[in-house]
Every structure is written in C-alpha cells, then in structure tokens.
Amino acid sequence: MRRLVTEPEDLYLLLDSLLREPKLFWNGFYSDRKKDIPFFSNVPDENLVDYIDCGIFKPGRVLELGCGPGRNAIYLAKKGYVVDAVDLSRETINWAIERAKIEQVDINFNCQNIFELNFQEGSYDIVYDSGCFHHIAPHRRISYIQLVKKALKTGGYFAITCFAPNSEYGGSTISDIEVYRTQSLKGGLGYDEEKLRAIFKDFEEIEIRQMKESDQSVLGLAGFMTAIFQKR
Ligand SMILES: C[S@@+](CC[C@H](N)C(=O)[O-])C[C@H]1O[C@@H](n2cnc3c(N)ncnc32)[C@H](O)[C@@H]1O
C-alpha cells in the first residue's frame, strides 16, 4: 500500500522519495579517495579554528552532522572536545575511523542518517555542520532545525558552513518548489546571509559571513558561507 499521509513525518518521507537516494550517491562519491576534492584534505575549516582561537567554543560535547572523512571531528578531538560524528555513508565513516586511528584520537563515529539519530535532549554544547545542510531538501529543514534545537543545551552553539549562492563549487539558487518539480537539488543549494538568518531565526545570531580564502593549513574557500548561532 502506498504511504498514507497522516503525520508530518509521513509527508517528509514521501517528499524524500521524490529525490536522490543519498546513501547510494555518497558511497559512490567516496569510493575514490584520490579525487581532487577540497574537503578530502585532512584540515579543519578556517571558521572552526577561528571559533576556538577567539574563545567562543570551549571544550565540551560536540555533535557533527555529515562529518565525511572526519577532518573537523579530528581537529575538535585533538583540542579536547568529546565528539559524536555522524554520516550516512559507510565509505566515509570507514575512512574517518582510519584517519582517527592514525591521528590517535578517540571519536564516536556513527554511520546513520542525521534524521534517525537518537540522543537525550540537550546533550550537546556544540552542533557543527560543514557541507551537509546544503544537501538537505527544503522540507527536511524543518526536521533539521528540530534536530539542532533538541541536541543543544540552552546557550549551546550551532555553526554551519555551506555553499554561497552560485559559487564555483555549487550553490543552486532554484526555488524550493523547483526542487520538487525537477526532483533535484542541482548538486546542493546556495544560501546567502538573508536565507541563513531566516531559516535559523529561532537562534541568536552570533556571526554570518563569507568563508575566508585560506592557505592549505586550514580549509577556507570564498564560495562558502559560514554562520554561528546560539540556542536561546
Ligand atoms: C559535502 S560532504 C562534507 C563532508 C564533511 N563535513 C567535510 O566537510 O569534510 C557532505 C556530507 O554529508 C553527508 N550527508 C548528507 N546527507 C546526510 C544525512 N541526511 N545524514 C547523514 N549524513 C548526510 C554526506 O554523506 C557527506 O559525507
């Protein structure tokens, strides 16, 4: 029987089914580790380093959403944070585990869809996302915001790095309705300051800015936006 929509989650699952199956795509994406992809290098985001250096982030519990091969999780663990890092791709979680072993850091890597996570409310001081949110479909923003709110303690921080609109790396500017009409996120959606502010309006805005182009010791690409918010 086709799914009968009676709850919001039924509708979300129905809309999910119109779009690309993410696990298959991302496992294929990570099957060649030698590809020239900026985030394949094992260095942290420039904004993440900045949050720690300027003292906004202080060691505590972190939930990383869509952690990929683990570069930011590894950096945080080295700085004394307790990290739960989640990604739905088994390929990338295996890679992250290998990297963490080489770097001799202890991280709880979890191969799971972020929307199926189970944790106690208010467990985390920080939720971090680099490059996952822009691959999330418009209807799932609702689940995403609920997830971040549930994960964070009051006063906890949520920080995000995502495609700026029409950047050289991606950042489609199609409307939400076009996503469903064309059944595609066109490689990832672009977010400017105004959209990020509107989506995360329930949080206190700390900073929204363009990512700073950086040298190779950190990952900084001007085609990305970074934002940090605090749970009220
Ligand atoms: C562009 S990559 C970024 C990886 C990593 N954060 C980094 O910057 O190195 C986006 C990641 O999000 C993951 N992802 C996308 N949707 C997800 C979901 N619903 N649940 C868990 N992971 C997801 C993908 O598997 C992929 O590894």
Side-chain angles (χ1 to χ4, degrees), residues 93-105:
I93 287 292
N94 287 345
W95 189 4
I97 291 170
E98 285 171 38
R99 273 182 170 173
K101 203 169 171 188
I102 292 166
E103 306 256 4
Q104 297 182 310
V105 284

PDB file of all heavy atoms in Angstrom, residues 93-105:
ATOM      1  N   ILE A  93      32.631   6.950   6.654  1.00  0.00           N
ATOM      2  CA  ILE A  93      32.820   6.648   8.088  1.00  0.00           C
ATOM      3  C   ILE A  93      34.034   5.726   8.249  1.00  0.00           C
ATOM      4  O   ILE A  93      34.867   5.922   9.148  1.00  0.00           O
ATOM      5  CB  ILE A  93      31.526   6.055   8.710  1.00  0.00           C
ATOM      6  CG1 ILE A  93      30.459   7.152   8.865  1.00  0.00           C
ATOM      7  CG2 ILE A  93      31.809   5.376  10.051  1.00  0.00           C
ATOM      8  CD1 ILE A  93      30.748   8.245   9.899  1.00  0.00           C
ATOM      9  N   ASN A  94      34.193   4.762   7.350  1.00  0.00           N
ATOM     10  CA  ASN A  94      35.372   3.884   7.424  1.00  0.00           C
ATOM     11  C   ASN A  94      36.655   4.698   7.257  1.00  0.00           C
ATOM     12  O   ASN A  94      37.642   4.498   7.967  1.00  0.00           O
ATOM     13  CB  ASN A  94      35.308   2.801   6.340  1.00  0.00           C
ATOM     14  CG  ASN A  94      34.265   1.744   6.666  1.00  0.00           C
ATOM     15  OD1 ASN A  94      33.790   1.672   7.805  1.00  0.00           O
ATOM     16  ND2 ASN A  94      33.899   0.937   5.698  1.00  0.00           N
ATOM     17  N   TRP A  95      36.623   5.621   6.319  1.00  0.00           N
ATOM     18  CA  TRP A  95      37.784   6.497   6.076  1.00  0.00           C
ATOM     19  C   TRP A  95      38.073   7.348   7.323  1.00  0.00           C
ATOM     20  O   TRP A  95      39.212   7.455   7.777  1.00  0.00           O
ATOM     21  CB  TRP A  95      37.486   7.371   4.860  1.00  0.00           C
ATOM     22  CG  TRP A  95      38.637   8.191   4.340  1.00  0.00           C
ATOM     23  CD1 TRP A  95      39.935   8.180   4.786  1.00  0.00           C
ATOM     24  CD2 TRP A  95      38.572   9.140   3.266  1.00  0.00           C
ATOM     25  NE1 TRP A  95      40.689   9.072   4.054  1.00  0.00           N
ATOM     26  CE2 TRP A  95      39.876   9.665   3.119  1.00  0.00           C
ATOM     27  CE3 TRP A  95      37.565   9.589   2.418  1.00  0.00           C
ATOM     28  CZ2 TRP A  95      40.182  10.638   2.143  1.00  0.00           C
ATOM     29  CZ3 TRP A  95      37.866  10.552   1.459  1.00  0.00           C
ATOM     30  CH2 TRP A  95      39.159  11.063   1.319  1.00  0.00           C
ATOM     31  N   ALA A  96      37.026   7.907   7.906  1.00  0.00           N
ATOM     32  CA  ALA A  96      37.178   8.745   9.114  1.00  0.00           C
ATOM     33  C   ALA A  96      37.769   7.931  10.273  1.00  0.00           C
ATOM     34  O   ALA A  96      38.648   8.412  11.002  1.00  0.00           O
ATOM     35  CB  ALA A  96      35.825   9.333   9.498  1.00  0.00           C
ATOM     36  N   ILE A  97      37.291   6.695  10.424  1.00  0.00           N
ATOM     37  CA  ILE A  97      37.801   5.838  11.510  1.00  0.00           C
ATOM     38  C   ILE A  97      39.302   5.561  11.291  1.00  0.00           C
ATOM     39  O   ILE A  97      40.102   5.638  12.225  1.00  0.00           O
ATOM     40  CB  ILE A  97      36.980   4.523  11.595  1.00  0.00           C
ATOM     41  CG1 ILE A  97      35.562   4.833  12.101  1.00  0.00           C
ATOM     42  CG2 ILE A  97      37.661   3.492  12.490  1.00  0.00           C
ATOM     43  CD1 ILE A  97      34.567   3.676  12.006  1.00  0.00           C
ATOM     44  N   GLU A  98      39.672   5.295  10.047  1.00  0.00           N
ATOM     45  CA  GLU A  98      41.093   5.047   9.730  1.00  0.00           C
ATOM     46  C   GLU A  98      41.942   6.280  10.066  1.00  0.00           C
ATOM     47  O   GLU A  98      43.009   6.174  10.663  1.00  0.00           O
ATOM     48  CB  GLU A  98      41.262   4.737   8.232  1.00  0.00           C
ATOM     49  CG  GLU A  98      40.818   3.350   7.836  1.00  0.00           C
ATOM     50  CD  GLU A  98      40.793   3.188   6.322  1.00  0.00           C
ATOM     51  OE1 GLU A  98      41.678   3.731   5.622  1.00  0.00           O
ATOM     52  OE2 GLU A  98      39.863   2.521   5.822  1.00  0.00           O
ATOM     53  N   ARG A  99      41.437   7.443   9.675  1.00  0.00           N
ATOM     54  CA  ARG A  99      42.183   8.682   9.949  1.00  0.00           C
ATOM     55  C   ARG A  99      42.339   8.925  11.444  1.00  0.00           C
ATOM     56  O   ARG A  99      43.411   9.308  11.910  1.00  0.00           O
ATOM     57  CB  ARG A  99      41.443   9.880   9.346  1.00  0.00           C
ATOM     58  CG  ARG A  99      41.787  10.151   7.905  1.00  0.00           C
ATOM     59  CD  ARG A  99      41.018  11.379   7.449  1.00  0.00           C
ATOM     60  NE  ARG A  99      41.455  11.855   6.157  1.00  0.00           N
ATOM     61  CZ  ARG A  99      40.855  12.827   5.480  1.00  0.00           C
ATOM     62  NH1 ARG A  99      39.783  13.419   5.996  1.00  0.00           N
ATOM     63  NH2 ARG A  99      41.309  13.217   4.316  1.00  0.00           N
ATOM     64  N   ALA A 100      41.245   8.725  12.181  1.00  0.00           N
ATOM     65  CA  ALA A 100      41.281   8.977  13.633  1.00  0.00           C
ATOM     66  C   ALA A 100      42.272   8.035  14.314  1.00  0.00           C
ATOM     67  O   ALA A 100      42.958   8.425  15.262  1.00  0.00           O
ATOM     68  CB  ALA A 100      39.883   8.817  14.220  1.00  0.00           C
ATOM     69  N   LYS A 101      42.367   6.803  13.797  1.00  0.00           N
ATOM     70  CA  LYS A 101      43.302   5.822  14.362  1.00  0.00           C
ATOM     71  C   LYS A 101      44.744   6.299  14.134  1.00  0.00           C
ATOM     72  O   LYS A 101      45.566   6.292  15.062  1.00  0.00           O
ATOM     73  CB  LYS A 101      43.065   4.471  13.682  1.00  0.00           C
ATOM     74  CG  LYS A 101      43.523   3.307  14.491  1.00  0.00           C
ATOM     75  CD  LYS A 101      43.018   2.013  13.878  1.00  0.00           C
ATOM     76  CE  LYS A 101      43.675   0.838  14.581  1.00  0.00           C
ATOM     77  NZ  LYS A 101      43.369  -0.418  13.926  1.00  0.00           N
ATOM     78  N   ILE A 102      45.015   6.744  12.929  1.00  0.00           N
ATOM     79  CA  ILE A 102      46.359   7.239  12.604  1.00  0.00           C
ATOM     80  C   ILE A 102      46.703   8.434  13.496  1.00  0.00           C
ATOM     81  O   ILE A 102      47.811   8.565  14.007  1.00  0.00           O
ATOM     82  CB  ILE A 102      46.450   7.630  11.098  1.00  0.00           C
ATOM     83  CG1 ILE A 102      46.348   6.387  10.227  1.00  0.00           C
ATOM     84  CG2 ILE A 102      47.740   8.403  10.790  1.00  0.00           C
ATOM     85  CD1 ILE A 102      46.089   6.661   8.750  1.00  0.00           C
ATOM     86  N   GLU A 103      45.712   9.298  13.707  1.00  0.00           N
ATOM     87  CA  GLU A 103      45.944  10.524  14.499  1.00  0.00           C
ATOM     88  C   GLU A 103      45.833  10.270  16.013  1.00  0.00           C
ATOM     89  O   GLU A 103      45.995  11.190  16.808  1.00  0.00           O
ATOM     90  CB  GLU A 103      44.909  11.591  14.103  1.00  0.00           C
ATOM     91  CG  GLU A 103      44.873  11.875  12.615  1.00  0.00           C
ATOM     92  CD  GLU A 103      45.544  13.177  12.258  1.00  0.00           C
ATOM     93  OE1 GLU A 103      46.116  13.839  13.142  1.00  0.00           O
ATOM     94  OE2 GLU A 103      45.496  13.523  11.061  1.00  0.00           O
ATOM     95  N   GLN A 104      45.478   9.030  16.352  1.00  0.00           N
ATOM     96  CA  GLN A 104      45.356   8.618  17.755  1.00  0.00           C
ATOM     97  C   GLN A 104      44.394   9.492  18.565  1.00  0.00           C
ATOM     98  O   GLN A 104      44.740  10.002  19.636  1.00  0.00           O
ATOM     99  CB  GLN A 104      46.736   8.572  18.417  1.00  0.00           C
ATOM    100  CG  GLN A 104      47.636   7.531  17.757  1.00  0.00           C
ATOM    101  CD  GLN A 104      48.984   7.437  18.436  1.00  0.00           C
ATOM    102  OE1 GLN A 104      49.638   8.436  18.665  1.00  0.00           O
ATOM    103  NE2 GLN A 104      49.392   6.232  18.746  1.00  0.00           N
ATOM    104  N   VAL A 105      43.211   9.702  17.964  1.00  0.00           N
ATOM    105  CA  VAL A 105      42.170  10.428  18.693  1.00  0.00           C
ATOM    106  C   VAL A 105      40.938   9.535  18.813  1.00  0.00           C
ATOM    107  O   VAL A 105      40.671   8.697  17.943  1.00  0.00           O
ATOM    108  CB  VAL A 105      41.765  11.774  18.035  1.00  0.00           C
ATOM    109  CG1 VAL A 105      42.813  12.836  18.274  1.00  0.00           C
ATOM    110  CG2 VAL A 105      41.467  11.615  16.559  1.00  0.00           C
TER     111      VAL A 105
END
